[in-house]
């Protein structure tokens, strides 16, 4: 009797298992146990904090249905942050938080945020990023088969060097300045009379310590976090020449594998994380909070503020670069950005 019952029991269990699979939500089988989020930097810089915050918020808001692991320092692509966007499109990266600077070699319109002296302040940046120009850029990214979700400010890039205060274009002449691997930066610093040298951030630190380069440009938050003041960088100029933008983007196939409800939660989490990381990027550099300037002074850094620089002279010197790259970005997109900036004044 037991011998005859066992096959029947096994068959019943098999049938119940099959029914359970059939009755489970179709989406559940498509969810990964963990999703890979790549970010250009590492903690404690704001853009990396924004990535970690996004990961935590996604898990929290979806009740653990979507779990995200952060891979800082572009580690999924061997530290080459210009390859992250390709990795996202190909599917080796599920979610991405990256600067428009690093997207610009692949998405030429992303150079909009690197046009010299387009943004006088954060209010102008917000008008472009959150307005029609930002929506237009999102549409361009969507045509690349990715899903842009949010944009934040990674900070205005400040110039530091070991030689002297920089207030006018003449002060830059002959200075060896490390720049990122985007051609517009070479053009900008060449127009200002400097000697730009492209290298990774990992190579920058030993180059500064040995004097292979005199200076570099990055947001103040990164300057402080990386302790660049300890690498002979005793002069820093706040000149608002470029406002770096940070984008929160999803792989399209991954995005479409989620339920509409979870997509809405992931988008909501991205918007919240972008807003928080923007606030962190601006911290200490506002009229109400000057703590970043206090920290710089405490480390012996001589700061030339925006008010102490000849912004008009810098703008005039880099105008040919602006006009050249307007053709690359697209005249219509640049015009929309200029109109948004003008309305923000």
């Amino acid at each position: 009797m037991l011998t005859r019952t066992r096959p029947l029991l096994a068959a019943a269990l098999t049938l119940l298992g099959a029914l359970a699979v059939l009755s489970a939500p179709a989406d559940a089988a498509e969810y990964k146990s963990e999703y890979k989020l790549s970010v250009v930097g590492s903690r404690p810089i704001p853009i990396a904090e924004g990535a970690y915050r996004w990961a935590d918020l996604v898990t929290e808001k979806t009740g653990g249905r979507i779990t995200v692991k952060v891979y800082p320092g572009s580690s999924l692509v061997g530290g080459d942050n210009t390859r992250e966007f390709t990795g996202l499109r190909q599917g080796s990266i599920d979610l991405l938080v990256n600067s428009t600077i690093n997207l610009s070699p692949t998405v030429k319109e992303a150079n909009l945020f690197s046009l010299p002296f387009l943004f006088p302040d954060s209010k102008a940046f917000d008008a472009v990023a959150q307005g029609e120009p930002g929506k237009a850029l999102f549409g361009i990214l969507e045509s690349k088969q990715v899903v842009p979700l949010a944009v934040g400010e990674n900070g205005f890039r400040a110039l530091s060097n070991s030689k002297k205060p920089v207030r006018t274009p003449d002060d830059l002449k002959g200075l060896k300045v490390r720049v990122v691997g985007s051609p517009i930066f070479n053009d900008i610093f060449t127009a200002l009379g400097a000697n730009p040298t492209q290298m990774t951030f990992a190579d920058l630190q030993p180059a500064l310590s040995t004097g292979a380069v005199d200076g570099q440009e990055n947001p103040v938050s990164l300057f402080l976090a990386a302790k660049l003041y300890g690498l002979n960088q005793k002069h820093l100029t706040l000149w608002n020449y470029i406002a770096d933008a940070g984008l929160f983007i999803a792989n399209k196939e991954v995005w479409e594998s989620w339920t509409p409800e979870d997509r809405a939660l992931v988008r909501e989490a991205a918007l919240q994380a972008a807003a928080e990381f923007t606030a962190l990027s601006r911290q200490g550099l506002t009229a109400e909070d000057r703590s970043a300037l206090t920290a710089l002074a405490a480390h012996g850094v001589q700061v030339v503020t925006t008010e102490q620089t000849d912004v008009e002279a810098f703008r005039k010197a880099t105008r040919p670069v602006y006009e050249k790259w307007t053709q690359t970005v697209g005249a219509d997109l640049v015009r929309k950005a200029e109109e948004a900036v003008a309305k923000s004044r």
Side-chain angles (χ1 to χ4, degrees), residues 68-135:
V68 179
K69 181 177 179 180
V70 179
Y71 291 80
S74 308
S75 57
L76 291 174
V77 288
D80 185 352
N81 43 46
T82 61
R83 289 171 49 210
E84 284 179 292
F85 187 67
T86 299
L88 180 74
R89 295 178 70 191
Q90 293 176 342
S92 59
I93 294 171
D94 300 312
L95 301 169
L96 176 63
V97 178
N98 206 337
S99 162
T100 47
I101 292 172
N102 300 317
L103 267 61
S104 63
T106 307
V107 184
K108 63 180 183 179
E109 294 86 354
N111 284 291
L112 174 69
F113 288 95
S114 296
L115 290 176
F117 301 97
L118 172 60
F119 306 104
D121 52 32
S122 289
K123 188 176 179 182
F125 174 89
D126 288 342
V128 172
Q130 310 300 337
E132 288 304 314
K135 291 176 184 176

Side-chain angles (χ1 to χ4, degrees), residues 211-244:
V213 294
D214 301 316
Q216 61 84 53
E217 49 78 58
N218 261 303
V220 172
S221 56
L222 185 145
F223 182 92
L224 286 168
K227 300 180 180 179
L228 297 185
Y229 48 79
L231 298 173
N232 303 316
Q233 299 300 285
K234 294 303 182 183
H235 301 281
L236 188 138
T237 299
L238 305 176
W239 55 337
N240 287 8
Y241 93 109
I242 283 175
D244 192 7

Side-chain angles (χ1 to χ4, degrees), residues 272-296:
Q272 182 176 337
E276 291 180 12
F277 119 79
T278 297
L280 194 58
S281 296
R282 296 172 180 174
Q283 187 175 312
L285 293 167
T286 65
E288 299 78 22
D289 176 11
R290 309 293 278 180
S291 57
L293 298 181
T294 302
L296 289 166

Side-chain angles (χ1 to χ4, degrees), residues 35-281:
Y35 292 87
K36 296 178 180 179
L37 193 167
S38 184
V39 61
V40 59
S42 302
R43 279 174 159 169
I45 67 170
I47 196 168
E49 294 292 354
Y52 280 97
R53 182 62 172 147
W54 188 19
D56 290 343
L57 286 169
V58 166
T59 301
E60 176 187 315
K61 289 177 182 292
T62 63
R65 287 187 300 280
I66 300 175
T67 302
V68 179
K69 181 177 179 180
V70 179
Y71 291 80
S74 308
S75 57
L76 291 174
V77 288
D80 185 352
N81 43 46
T82 61
R83 289 171 49 210
E84 284 179 292
F85 187 67
T86 299
L88 180 74
R89 295 178 70 191
Q90 293 176 342
S92 59
I93 294 171
D94 300 312
L95 301 169
L96 176 63
V97 178
N98 206 337
S99 162
T100 47
I101 292 172
N102 300 317
L103 267 61
S104 63
T106 307
V107 184
K108 63 180 183 179
E109 294 86 354
N111 284 291
L112 174 69
F113 288 95
S114 296
L115 290 176
F117 301 97
L118 172 60
F119 306 104
D121 52 32
S122 289
K123 188 176 179 182
F125 174 89
D126 288 342
V128 172
Q130 310 300 337
E132 288 304 314
K135 291 176 184 176
L137 182 59
F138 270 30
I140 291 163
L141 288 169
E142 287 166 358
S143 73
K144 309 288 184 184
Q145 301 303 301
V146 299
V147 184
L149 300 172
V151 59
E153 184 196 302
N154 196 31
F156 280 83
R157 297 177 77 88
L159 173 70
S160 72
N161 80 93
S162 60
K163 300 293 186 183
K164 58 185 176 180
V166 173
R167 298 184 176 87
T168 70
D170 284 342
D171 297 327
L172 265 167
K173 294 191 185 305
L175 279 182
K176 295 175 289 185
V177 181
R178 175 266 179 177
V179 295
V180 297
S182 179
I184 191 172
F185 285 81
N186 263 341
D187 287 354
I188 291 170
F189 282 90
T190 298
L192 292 170
N195 295 326
T197 301
Q198 290 186 341
M199 63 177 67
T200 66
F201 187 76
D203 292 333
L204 168 63
Q205 291 169 305
L208 289 175
S209 63
T210 61
V213 294
D214 301 316
Q216 61 84 53
E217 49 78 58
N218 261 303
V220 172
S221 56
L222 185 145
F223 182 92
L224 286 168
K227 300 180 180 179
L228 297 185
Y229 48 79
L231 298 173
N232 303 316
Q233 299 300 285
K234 294 303 182 183
H235 301 281
L236 188 138
T237 299
L238 305 176
W239 55 337
N240 287 8
Y241 93 109
I242 283 175
D244 192 7
L247 292 171
F248 291 61
I249 318 174
N251 171 276
K252 188 174 182 180
E253 288 186 10
V254 167
W255 178 259
E256 292 179 347
S257 74
W258 295 331
T259 64
E261 293 78 12
D262 280 342
R263 290 179 208 165
L265 292 171
V266 172
R267 186 187 300 275
E268 180 183 299
L271 290 167
Q272 182 176 337
E276 291 180 12
F277 119 79
T278 297
L280 194 58
S281 296

